Amino acid sequence: MRIVIAGGHGQIALRLERLLAARGDEAAGIIRRREQADDLRAAGAEPVVLDLESASVDEVADAVRGADAVVFAAGAGPGSTVERKETVDRAAAVLLADAAERAGVRRYVIVSSINADSGHEGDGVFDAYLRAKGAADDAVRSRSALDWTVLRPGALTDDAGTGLVNLAEKTGRGPVPRDDVAAVLADLVRSPETAGRTLELIGGSVPVTDAVHAAGQDA
């Protein structure tokens, strides 16, 4: 498979790229800064330099054309402004969806967040983040031309992955290692039976592959 990852230099994305490369898939990561390219190559991924805050739909479509799946793992990140929650966490996700449709790439997996909600109230930056992620999810889920899956991890940690998760429509709050989020994403991109699902993810007791398979059977 060829998988293109938006936000290719992110912590989850780099982990995902290593997993994909290790199993023989072709990974490409969209990055904003050229100096990040060597990190992607070290992870076994092809760097694609493109700023999703200024790129056109056609430019992004060219970057994803021929892919079997796209993954939206970009984010404005901690310390960013309310404005960038809108331009990255929401608008860039919508741009990738538009580009996937234009390029004929149906499989679209988006990394969201537990409690993402376009109607979330509050004036803080994290409130804006949850609104932006919720609005992005809504926009992706409205696309009949996409086989989408929304993945909503709990509190992300840098603990070593256990390979054991709780993946369901509702899990409640809880932590999850980034390693395990990447492992779930690696299985989701090749599990089209999970299309049309919004899934929460926290640490648990079920092996990743079994959890993804069960999520597809529950559809």
Side-chain angles (χ1 to χ4, degrees):
M1 293 181 70
R2 176 175 171 83
I3 296 99
V4 179
I5 304 157
H9 195 258
Q11 294 186 68
I12 290 172
L14 286 168
R15 288 168 167 85
L16 175 58
E17 288 154 6
R18 293 186 194 103
L19 291 174
L20 295 173
R23 76 180 188 201
D25 287 330
E26 184 181 340
I30 297 175
I31 54 176
R32 189 162 56 94
R33 298 200 300 271
R34 193 170 299 278
E35 57 266 29
Q36 298 169 334
D38 285 345
D39 291 337
L40 268 72
R41 294 189 187 100
E46 170 197 345
V48 178
V49 180
L50 192 63
D51 187 347
L52 294 176
E53 289 181 271
S54 60
S56 69
V57 175
D58 284 337
E59 288 173 325
V60 183
D62 287 343
V64 305
R65 188 166 284 111
D68 297 290
V70 296
V71 176
F72 184 82
S80 58
T81 63
V82 168
E83 290 74 21
R84 292 202 73 227
K85 303 303 183 191
E86 171 67 18
T87 59
V88 179
D89 292 285
R90 186 200 66 79
V94 174
L95 175 64
L96 185 65
D98 289 340
E101 286 188 346
R102 186 161 299 186
V105 180
R106 290 197 61 91
R107 189 73 176 114
Y108 185 116
V109 179
I110 181 171
V111 182
S112 182
S113 175
I114 280 183
N115 296 327
D117 182 353
S118 60
H120 180 84
E121 297 182 355
D123 298 325
V125 174
F126 190 68
D127 299 314
Y129 168 76
L130 292 176
R131 280 194 298 273
K133 295 300 285 185
D137 294 350
D138 292 346
V140 170
R141 290 185 295 200
S142 71
R143 310 295 181 104
S144 60
L146 297 179
D147 295 329
W148 55 264
T149 301
V150 175
L151 182 66
R152 291 181 162 180
L156 299 170
T157 75
D158 289 325
D159 297 337
T162 66
L164 301 173
V165 299
N166 180 2
L167 179 69
E169 286 190 2
K170 293 294 180 183
T171 62
R173 295 185 183 184
V176 61
R178 288 180 172 87
D179 286 349
D180 290 334
V181 177
V184 168
L185 289 169
D187 271 13
L188 284 175
V189 293
R190 60 178 179 182
S191 301
E193 64 273 12
T194 60
R197 305 294 309 281
T198 299
L199 300 166
E200 295 184 353
L201 173 66
I202 58 173
S205 59
V206 181
V208 166
T209 299
D210 294 344
V212 172
H213 178 73
Q217 296 303 304
D218 291 342

